[in-house]
Amino acid sequence: MTEFWLISAPGEKTCQQTWDKLMVATTRTNNLSTNNKFNIPDLKVGTLDVLVGLSDELAKLDSFVESVVKKVAQYMADVLEDSRDKVQENLLANGVDLITYITRFQWDMAKYPIKQSLKNISEIISKQVTQIDNDLKARASAYNNLKGNLQNLERKNAGSLLTRSLADIVKKEDFVLDSEYLITLLVVVPKTNYADWQKTYETLAEMVVPRSTNLLFEDQDSGLFSVTLFRKAIDDFRHKAREQKFIVRDFQYNEEEMKADKEEMTRLSTDKKKQFVRPRLSNHQIILINMCEAFIAWIHIKALRVFVESVLRYGLPVNFQAMLLQPNKKNMKKLREVLYDLYKHLDSSAAAIIDSAVDIPGLNLSQQEYYPYVYYKIDCNLLDFK
């Protein structure tokens, strides 16, 4: 299970006692969750007014950073395409898988110096992730344009003989070229009408060269036939052929154009592969770096939120234990009940709030979960494959 509950409770005589109580209640007898201490350093508290304002700002920043993390992960899946099963193993933070990073979380002092104010740290994260988001938009746009152009070319080289490109089917020797009077046409004939074609093609118009038809290619439904006639008979032949359900393709043999199309297809295919493999720093490597940075920033936002909310709820001096729980999926409801019994003394109004569906002004509880302990969910299932 990839869902985690990041909670905090005030320290008893020591924070270790708070931790021990949780472990006894949730793991030693009933295996409700797997728990880890979540280490948050001594951050600068600031004033109460700043903390209240910051609490709202961090909630918005949390949603934004989570959305960027998911977009980067999904973009990686798009780039990997046929290797999507490898996406999860490519989702790393500081060189380890995401779950290991969360369960062994250590504050990054270099990126987010704790001598800075909480607001400054949140602004550093906001700027960093906004830059990642802008970079992703640019890369995704370029990649999607490339992919779209390649798909359009691939579509031309597939599908029905009525619409697909004929450049890779026909050869120079299939045509009468450089003649002032004669021209070779390409005609799509349904397989069920082959016999009719052979009987009638010479009489569909005047001046059709006898015995000039050849079957060049077949797909599931039709065949592509060549036929040679005088140029002045083209319109009449095309009209009469359509009446017999023979469709004349609008095609002229041009070696230079055909070569250019093939080169364009090769170039686009190569460029698309370069999105994943390229000397120096590939697009894939840059996305991995962005993924790593965005995820690390997201977990630091969670840490900031726990710190701010814990100070607002439990007061000063700072004395709380942050704990990361990975619930046993079968026992999630029971785990909630155990946590409530353990911490209900922290907020007597929580019981009424949890049991009530009534909106309470200022709390906006219809959109968020409220418990007597500080709680934030972290969902590491970042990909939504349809």
Side-chain angles (χ1 to χ4, degrees):
M1 181 155 173
T2 56
E3 180 178 315
F4 291 86
W5 297 356
L6 180 55
I7 72 168
S8 83
E12 305 282 338
K13 289 181 180 177
T14 66
C15 287
Q16 184 62 39
Q17 284 182 309
T18 304
W19 169 254
D20 291 339
K21 272 192 177 181
L22 176 80
M23 291 298 287
V24 170
T26 61
T27 64
R28 290 188 187 159
T29 57
N30 44 20
N31 191 30
L32 298 178
S33 60
T34 303
N35 307 330
N36 290 274
K37 285 184 179 179
F38 191 84
N39 298 310
I40 301 175
D42 294 328
L43 301 169
K44 281 192 171 183
V45 175
T47 65
L48 183 62
D49 286 347
V50 169
L51 288 179
V52 170
L54 193 58
S55 178
D56 291 335
E57 289 173 21
L58 287 173
K60 293 173 187 172
L61 186 56
D62 188 352
S63 297
F64 168 64
V65 177
E66 180 179 3
S67 73
V68 172
V69 169
K70 289 185 175 179
K71 278 193 286 185
V72 176
Q74 196 62 50
Y75 176 60
M76 190 187 299
D78 292 342
V79 172
L80 279 163
E81 290 186 338
D82 297 335
S83 305
R84 283 191 166 201
D85 55 325
K86 295 181 181 176
V87 173
Q88 209 65 41
E89 67 190 53
N90 276 279
L91 298 179
L92 303 173
N94 278 359
V96 298
D97 64 85
L98 305 186
I99 290 175
T100 301
Y101 177 79
I102 295 175
T103 54
R104 298 179 188 171
F105 175 76
Q106 294 292 325
W107 187 273
D108 192 324
M109 301 288 184
K111 277 191 189 127
Y112 314 115
I114 60 173
K115 289 182 180 179
Q116 299 265 8
S117 69
L118 295 175
K119 188 167 182 61
N120 282 357
I121 293 172
S122 71
E123 287 173 354
I124 290 169
I125 294 174
S126 179
K127 286 177 185 174
Q128 177 196 12
V129 177
T130 299
Q131 190 174 344
I132 290 171
D133 190 40
N134 291 337
D135 179 73
L136 177 67
K137 285 174 184 173
R139 290 181 184 282
S141 176
Y143 178 76
N144 289 333
N145 285 339
L146 179 63
K147 188 177 176 182
N149 291 338
L150 185 57
Q151 284 174 340
N152 287 336
L153 276 180
E154 286 171 345
R155 216 173 282 126
K156 285 182 182 178
N157 289 324
S160 164
L161 279 171
L162 293 170
T163 56
R164 64 162 291 169
S165 169
L166 304 177
D168 60 334
I169 291 174
V170 297
K171 304 182 189 71
K172 187 175 182 178
E173 51 266 30
D174 296 327
F175 295 83
V176 173
L177 300 172
D178 304 322
S179 169
E180 186 179 347
Y181 301 106
L182 294 175
I183 188 170
T184 300
L185 299 181
L186 300 178
V187 186
V188 179
V189 179
K191 281 188 174 179
T192 52
N193 293 24
Y194 278 9
D196 291 341
W197 167 257
Q198 293 290 355
K199 286 178 191 174
T200 61
Y201 80 90
E202 292 179 4
T203 59
L204 290 175
E206 293 182 357
M207 293 186 276
V208 176
V209 177
R211 299 180 186 176
S212 63
T213 192
N214 288 297
L215 176 61
L216 306 180
F217 184 83
E218 286 183 301
D219 66 11
Q220 195 172 352
D221 305 309
S222 309
L224 185 70
F225 286 83
S226 62
V227 60
T228 302
L229 58 150
F230 279 75
R231 290 180 181 275
K232 64 169 71 174
I234 290 176
D235 290 341
D236 190 31
F237 183 89
R238 193 187 295 271
H239 176 69
K240 292 284 177 59
R242 190 182 298 113
E243 289 178 354
Q244 300 297 320
K245 299 182 179 176
F246 309 143
I247 306 300
V248 178
R249 285 291 307 266
D250 188 13
F251 180 87
Q252 288 187 333
Y253 187 86
N254 185 314
E255 270 188 307
E256 287 185 6
E257 283 184 11
M258 289 161 63
K259 183 182 177 185
D261 281 351
K262 286 178 181 175
E263 286 175 352
E264 177 70 357
M265 173 74 84
T266 303
R267 183 186 69 77
L268 289 172
S269 296
T270 303
D271 285 352
K272 192 179 173 197
K273 286 173 186 172
K274 283 180 182 177
Q275 297 285 311
F276 195 60
V277 181
R278 188 186 297 166
R280 297 181 191 158
L281 212 55
S282 72
N283 189 44
H284 172 233
Q285 289 168 318
I286 292 168
I287 292 302
L288 280 178
I289 292 167
N290 283 347
M291 176 66 220
C292 171
E293 295 296 319
F295 188 82
I296 288 170
W298 185 38
I299 303 306
H300 279 75
I301 285 289
K302 294 291 187 188
L304 283 177
R305 293 191 74 187
V306 169
F307 183 86
V308 169
E309 192 66 20
S310 297
V311 173
L312 287 173
R313 286 213 203 180
Y314 309 142
L316 293 171
V318 176
N319 181 33
F320 67 89
Q321 178 63 55
M323 298 163 283
L324 186 73
L325 285 62
Q326 187 174 13
N328 183 326
K329 192 173 184 180
K330 295 177 182 177
N331 297 321
M332 290 176 79
K333 187 177 178 185
K334 178 66 177 170
L335 179 60
R336 280 285 180 218
E337 292 168 357
V338 167
L339 291 176
Y340 175 70
D341 287 339
L342 200 56
Y343 301 122
K344 61 186 176 184
H345 64 282
L346 298 175
D347 187 349
S348 57
S349 63
I353 292 170
I354 291 166
D355 294 334
S356 171
V358 178
D359 285 343
I360 298 175
L363 283 174
N364 194 24
L365 294 169
S366 56
Q367 272 97 41
Q368 66 185 48
E369 299 165 289
Y370 184 83
Y371 302 98
Y373 47 91
V374 173
Y375 160 80
Y376 296 106
K377 185 170 85 170
I378 302 174
D379 188 355
C380 287
N381 183 24
L382 302 176
L383 298 172
D384 178 23
F385 290 138
K386 296 173 182 171

